[in-house]
Structures are given as structure tokens and as C-alpha cells.
Amino acid sequence: MSTPTIIPNRGEFIDALQALRKGRVMVRVSDISGGCTLDGAPVYSAHRTLIAYGLVREFENPHGFPSVRYYRLSERGRDFAERACENWRQRPLLQRLAVRLAG
């Protein structure tokens, strides 16, 4: 039995899914925490889960920098993001706030 992946910051994960659903691109310059950006903001931990589960896929950016990696939602990621974001919107406001505070 494999160990399940823990999402360290669920609020950041949902924010990343929402931005990626809008067509934003995740830019990864290094493997360290904060080495990814999405829509101009650092992504501290969500990128690891997105990549590990195949929710994003790397693409070639001919106008980008050679050592930088660029990601968009995969088909699997798009389906997952639709369900996850809808589920998030249906949760009560206080529950969403508690999740953001707790991580």
C-alpha cells in the first residue's frame, strides 16, 4: 500500500487550480519552495502535488527561457479542477476560511 500524498496547503492548491482553469501558466524555475510562480504569485507547495498526480503537463514555450519549465492543466487536471473547484464553492464560508487558516 502506497503512502497517500498530503496536500500541505489546501487553500493554495485550490487557488492554483482556479488560476490554471483560467488558462494561466505555472512557471517553475527551481525545485525549492517558492521556485514556482502562477499568475505572478509564488507557489510554495501545490506544484509538487499537481505534477505528482499528472494534473499539469509541461509544454514547450518557444518564447520562454531555456532552463525554465512551463506547465498547463492536463485533460485529467481539467476534469479534476472542475470537480474540486465546484466542491470548494459549495462549502460554507467559515469552513473555507478555516481551511485557509489551517493550511
Side-chain angles (χ1 to χ4, degrees), residues 11-31:
E12 180 188 68
F13 185 72
I14 287 292
D15 290 344
L17 287 174
Q18 288 174 342
L20 288 164
R21 281 180 63 216
K22 294 177 183 176
R24 305 301 196 276
V25 173
M26 185 170 68
V27 179
R28 184 177 179 188
V29 293
S30 73
D31 292 331

Side-chain angles (χ1 to χ4, degrees), residues 20 23-30 35-39 47 51 56-74:
L20 288 164
R24 305 301 196 276
V25 173
M26 185 170 68
V27 179
R28 184 177 179 188
V29 293
S30 73
C36 273
T37 60
L38 181 58
D39 210 15
H47 66 283
I51 294 168
V56 292
R57 63 175 167 73
E58 187 174 357
F59 71 95
E60 291 293 322
N61 184 353
H63 303 292
F65 296 100
S67 61
V68 175
R69 301 172 92 175
Y70 300 89
Y71 296 88
R72 286 191 180 124
L73 274 181
S74 64

Side-chain angles (χ1 to χ4, degrees), residues 42-53:
V43 179
Y44 295 103
S45 61
H47 66 283
R48 291 183 193 99
T49 306
L50 291 166
I51 294 168
Y53 280 103

